[in-house]
Amino acid sequence: MQSSSSSSGSCGGGNDQVASGSKSQDDMISNLPDFVIGHILSFLSTKEAVLTSVLSTRWKYMWTFLTKLDFRDYTNNNFNSFSNFVTRVLFHLNTATIQEFILEIPHYYDPYGYYTNQWISAVLSMRLKKIKVFFFLRGNEPKIPSCPQLVSKNNILSCPLFECHESLEELEFMISSLASCIIKLPSSSFVSFSSLTVLSLAGIITFTSSNEIFQELTLNFPLLREYKAVSCGFSGVKSITIEAPLLELVFILGMEFEQVITRFSASRITNFSYYCDTVSHTIFLDHQNIPSSKIFLVLFDSEDHSVEEISIFIRKLLRFFINAEYLELDLANCWPGFAWVANYLADIPVFRMLGYLKLKRVTSNTLLDFLLKTPCLKTLVLQMVDYDEESQNFAIVPDCFLSTLKVVKFDKYFGGEREFSFSKFVMENTKVLERISFSFHESCSEVEKAKEKLSLVKISFSTVIMEFST
Amino acid sequence: MASSSSNLISLKTSDGTVFKVERALAKTMKTVQAIIEEADANIYMIPIHNVFSHHMDMIIDYYKLSVAGKSKEFSVEKLDNDELKDFLLAVHYLNMEDLFEVLTQAVADRLEKKSVGYVRKYFGIENDFTPEEYAAIRKKNDWAFKGDDIEPEEDEEKQEE
């Protein structure tokens, strides 16, 4: 709601947006109980909800029935004014349940989390379902002075989060990685948040308890479906095991403290994304149980690592998916130098159960590396990249060509030389192929020529259907 | 036990129309459910005050969509503000949890980012503050009134003159 010019009577005010149709009638609000209004207001940001206090005397404290709190300040206003507002709202709240607490402020507002800690602590006991704290950085921050009382770097969020471990469904702490966030846990190396479905972290997280420092920490999230860690690192522990039997999405971007071992005990991961610039981090997945997954691996700027190291890393990761029946893989390496190294993935494990494989942005040599290790493959979908320096080697015909491969689909086909010779290799050597289709890249300029060229290839069986699409 | 047809309940709206609805739908109306349970004898027809036939039409629409798993397709966009308010009151009277959530969200969506004057008109609220009281509240909740999109109040400007 905005506070703009308004008339004091109930009708009139031509410069406001007019409700269509009827004139203003009896105050319909008298028909709705307070908590219903509070419910409606809960869908607005807390700022807007509090603005209703000026509607009329009856509305003065209607907003205190809010069940969700949403404090966002993107306008770079005075922190004192904001802080007074939040404190006042918390003080006047008239409900026993606060379902959500959302706080989005510039980092410099509360660099050490002093106020944030207090605010969250005030609502922790109200059966919180969702906490989202987002400290963002603008380019032109005033410099945060270092605080001598603090032991290590800036510490934020040392409130006893564990108090809402039964009710909390979504937890998001997005702190800039300059800052460190402490999550206090009870003294046990096994911690459970029984309702948590979404966990999203950024920045450096330290788990502590009052008594011990843990070497190995087990986090039990029986209902967790999404795990996101951006520029995140766990300090103070040697290894963390995340038990999440329903976990579907894992998203890791950047890492601090690579030597910490992270173990996921989760057999239903369907989406695994890993964007990192290092391969020395150790991640374990509950291997041999994952039936189908999309894997997205982006390794940036890995000049520090040799081809050997990277190939070992990829192999290790792929090992967790060896019993998968369905895989989508995107090995988008941002430095093409890697792709020229032939057969760097020659030693990947065999995928005995794999029936469907989708490979994005892959060279034909890597493609063959995979085909040689997927003996039961039925469907292959690929998007090839063509490097001039690459020399192709089609000496060995993969097993799947001979007995199982039925469908091959080329995405974003460009008609390049290597793409063509690979497609020729497929068509001439597969014995049970039923369908081969080509979906052309939007910038491919010679679609008709390419189609012609492909149609001329002699296929082993004439019953194979060849399809083209754009 | 209940009305003659074992799976259908008869509901009579305030404009006199009789709707025969499935028992499962009647169950989502806690008010109706309570009436059925409290009745000693068989009830043939349950009157539902404050609910008109056009409300029942929409309730049945919503029920059908939600049974088909398409509750997100239900929309109240075509209702003007007063019609939405009436509908909300009807659903509130019938005590239907899910539909109530949907409608309160819809009302909130219509209030979002609107001026104080608009909201007053929407709910039919009369401003009974004195200018001093009004200014005092604004000052207390200072931060809420800040922002590039906030214009000064007419009354305030008059006061300063």
Side-chain angles (χ1 to χ4, degrees), chain A residues 1-37:
Chain A
M1 265 180 31
Q2 300 177 355
S3 174
S4 66
S5 59
S6 62
S7 49
S8 43
S10 46
C11 281
N15 47 347
D16 293 329
Q17 293 183 34
V18 178
S20 65
S22 50
K23 316 164 189 92
S24 184
Q25 301 152 348
D26 307 327
D27 184 349
M28 302 209 80
I29 286 313
S30 32
N31 293 331
L32 290 174
D34 295 344
F35 86 91
V36 173
I37 309 288

Side-chain angles (χ1 to χ4, degrees), chain A residues 307-320 322 344-349 351:
Chain A
V307 172
E308 183 71 37
E309 283 174 308
I310 294 184
S311 99
I312 291 177
F313 178 77
I314 296 181
R315 266 186 268 154
K316 270 195 190 165
L317 206 55
L318 287 178
R319 218 163 269 154
F320 297 122
I322 51 175
Y344 74 102
L345 288 182
D347 290 326
I348 54 174
F351 294 88

Side-chain angles (χ1 to χ4, degrees), chain A residues 83 92 133 148 158 160 169 185 194 197 199 215 221 282 313 339 377 379 457:
Chain A
S83 148
H92 282 284
V133 175
S158 50
E169 289 174 19
L185 298 174
S194 44
T197 58
L199 179 61
Q215 299 293 303
F221 304 130
T282 325
F313 178 77
L377 198 66
T379 308
V457 174

Side-chain angles (χ1 to χ4, degrees), chain A residues 2-3 22 39 48 88, chain B residues 82 101 113-114 128 141 153:
Chain A
Q2 300 177 355
S3 174
S22 50
H39 203 76
E48 284 192 311
R88 192 161 181 272
Chain B
D82 287 310
E101 277 290 309
K113 299 196 169 66
K114 296 292 195 302
D128 50 357
N141 287 315
E153 295 283 336

Side-chain angles (χ1 to χ4, degrees), chain A residues 144-277:
Chain A
I144 299 172
S146 62
C147 179
Q149 288 107 339
L150 295 173
V151 175
S152 55
K153 285 156 58 167
N154 313 319
N155 295 317
I156 301 181
L157 292 163
S158 50
C159 52
L161 206 59
F162 192 67
E163 256 185 62
C164 45
H165 74 278
E166 282 174 350
S167 61
L168 201 58
E169 289 174 19
E170 289 183 37
L171 178 60
E172 287 184 51
F173 279 164
M174 315 275 283
I175 319 288
S176 71
S177 59
L178 300 177
S180 145
C181 166
I182 298 182
I183 297 185
K184 273 207 191 123
L185 298 174
S187 29
S188 160
S189 58
F190 181 91
V191 170
S192 178
F193 277 73
S194 44
S195 308
L196 200 64
T197 58
V198 172
L199 179 61
S200 181
L201 302 169
I204 302 166
I205 314 281
T206 309
F207 294 103
T208 67
S209 81
S210 32
N211 302 331
E212 305 158 43
I213 297 176
F214 299 115
Q215 299 293 303
E216 296 182 9
L217 183 61
T218 303
L219 301 173
N220 175 263
F221 304 130
L223 298 181
L224 194 69
R225 286 191 196 274
E226 278 185 30
Y227 174 86
K228 290 190 192 158
V230 173
S231 296
C232 195
F234 300 112
S235 90
V237 289
K238 276 207 178 135
S239 83
I240 292 197
T241 303
I242 297 175
E243 287 182 358
L246 298 183
L247 188 59
E248 292 168 1
L249 182 119
V250 175
F251 180 96
I252 299 175
L253 191 149
M255 266 266 165
E256 315 278 333
F257 304 135
E258 300 109 42
Q259 57 277 26
V260 175
I261 298 172
T262 318
R263 221 174 252 119
F264 287 91
S265 180
S267 53
R268 287 204 204 171
I269 297 179
T270 55
N271 209 307
F272 184 84
S273 303
Y274 186 71
Y275 297 67
C276 274
D277 56 4

